[in-house]
Amino acid sequence: MEAFFTKSEQVQNIIKGFNLTKTLFVSSIIIGEPNIGKKTLVRYLFPEAPLVSGRNQEEVEAALLEYDELIITDFEKLSNQESLNLDNKRVIATANYVGNQQTIDTLFAFIYTMPSLKERPDDTAYIRDIFIKEAQSHLMIKESDFSAEEIPLNLDHNSKTLKRSIYRHLMNASMDEKSIQESIYHYILKHLEGKNGYKEYLGLYEKPLIEAGLKKFGSQLQLSQVLGINRNTLRKKIHEHNID
């Protein structure tokens, strides 16, 4: 991403705050959930600043001796935050959680909280479109093969699960009959065992068939006719597969 796009007021305020203090030798920290764009934002604002990870205390201490401006990611991972001397430094840190609030208050002049993607729907839509284009290119899928609005987005872990849900949906949408058969074959080859395998794994076919049919036709009566089974049999299978 060449620039950091945001329509979130909170994130825009973070950017404004950094722009106002960019020339000052004061330290700041951005705190928020993993995979919400903290590192991307800091890299956008300070593209030339060296970057070290808080996972390595010794590297961070060495970098503080060498540089006046420094980005420290995963600040919460530092084993001894209290030993750091940030005086007359422009340190920009990111952390997934606060940790010791008193230490954070002592080390940083500015403390920013960045909202998750669930709280930034416009940003989520923008990032979604970036991931869709990326997935289209990697998976060689045409836009006519899917609808972006129908992709179920998983934001449980922000951009990480967002990207995964997009790739998974587009892969499923692009599969032909042979690919589906191969996927089921490999799944059954790995898991088939026991004494009632036929009935157990029949659900791999029956459940998505019934769910898709109910969504497409919206009527058990019409679906039973399409499938060529009576309504009682269909109701029984809906109950067996716990289909809402």
Side-chain angles (χ1 to χ4, degrees):
M1 211 182 298
E2 294 181 0
F4 191 91
F5 171 88
T6 182
K7 288 187 177 180
S8 163
E9 184 177 350
Q10 282 180 274
V11 180
Q12 288 176 345
N13 287 336
I14 293 173
I15 294 173
K16 289 176 183 177
F18 272 113
N19 285 334
L20 289 172
T21 59
K22 241 181 179 182
T23 59
L24 304 177
F25 281 95
V26 294
S27 294
S28 308
I29 187 169
I30 303 177
I31 301 168
E33 294 179 10
N35 310 304
I36 59 174
K38 300 187 298 293
K39 182 178 176 181
T40 302
L41 174 57
V42 170
R43 262 283 170 241
Y44 164 64
L45 293 170
F46 300 90
E48 305 300 325
L51 185 149
V52 291
S53 171
R55 296 174 185 273
N56 190 316
Q57 179 87 20
E58 291 183 0
E59 284 188 7
V60 170
E61 291 176 352
L64 284 170
L65 292 174
E66 184 175 356
Y67 303 107
D68 291 331
E69 181 176 85
L70 182 68
I71 296 171
I72 305 175
T73 62
D74 301 308
F75 192 83
E76 76 281 359
K77 301 292 185 182
L78 283 163
S79 57
N80 189 1
Q81 298 174 357
E82 293 80 3
S83 68
L84 300 181
N85 183 0
L86 308 188
D87 292 344
N88 300 315
K89 301 284 183 180
R90 186 183 301 118
V91 171
I92 310 96
T94 65
N96 294 331
Y97 53 85
V98 172
N100 189 318
Q101 184 67 60
Q102 185 176 350
T103 300
I104 296 296
D105 291 339
T106 301
L107 291 174
F108 297 100
F110 298 96
I111 302 169
Y112 300 103
T113 300
M114 192 165 175
S116 68
L117 290 186
K118 289 180 180 179
E119 302 169 85
R120 295 154 49 197
D122 290 332
D123 292 358
T124 298
Y126 176 77
I127 297 169
R128 175 203 66 186
D129 292 343
I130 291 175
F131 286 154
I132 286 175
K133 289 180 181 179
E134 179 185 296
Q136 278 184 262
S137 175
H138 289 168
L139 302 174
M140 294 180 287
I141 298 173
K142 299 179 294 184
E143 287 188 22
S144 57
D145 292 337
F146 68 94
S147 168
E149 301 303 324
E150 292 180 357
I151 299 176
L153 304 180
N154 185 337
L155 298 176
D156 289 347
H157 298 287
N158 298 295
S159 64
K160 183 177 181 179
T161 48
L162 171 62
K163 184 174 185 177
R164 184 185 298 159
S165 62
I166 289 169
Y167 268 77
R168 180 175 294 169
H169 182 86
L170 294 193
M171 284 182 65
N172 291 339
S174 66
M175 292 177 73
D176 57 18
E177 183 176 334
K178 184 178 180 181
S179 298
I180 294 170
Q181 289 173 343
E182 288 176 351
S183 295
I184 294 175
Y185 166 82
H186 287 292
Y187 180 85
I188 292 177
L189 183 64
K190 182 178 180 180
H191 294 94
L192 183 60
E193 57 185 22
K195 297 181 180 180
N196 197 22
Y198 181 83
K199 183 177 181 181
E200 181 180 350
Y201 290 102
L202 191 62
L204 286 175
Y205 161 75
E206 281 190 335
K207 186 174 182 179
L209 174 67
I210 294 171
E211 287 178 331
L214 290 172
K215 182 174 180 62
K216 183 171 184 177
F217 299 108
S219 162
Q220 290 187 23
L221 175 60
Q222 188 174 356
L223 178 57
S224 66
Q225 294 171 345
V226 170
L227 296 179
I229 59 178
N230 64 54
R231 289 184 68 185
N232 290 334
T233 300
L234 177 59
R235 287 198 197 97
K236 181 180 177 182
K237 291 186 178 295
I238 289 173
H239 177 73
E240 286 176 355
H241 296 303
N242 296 313
I243 298 172
D244 294 331

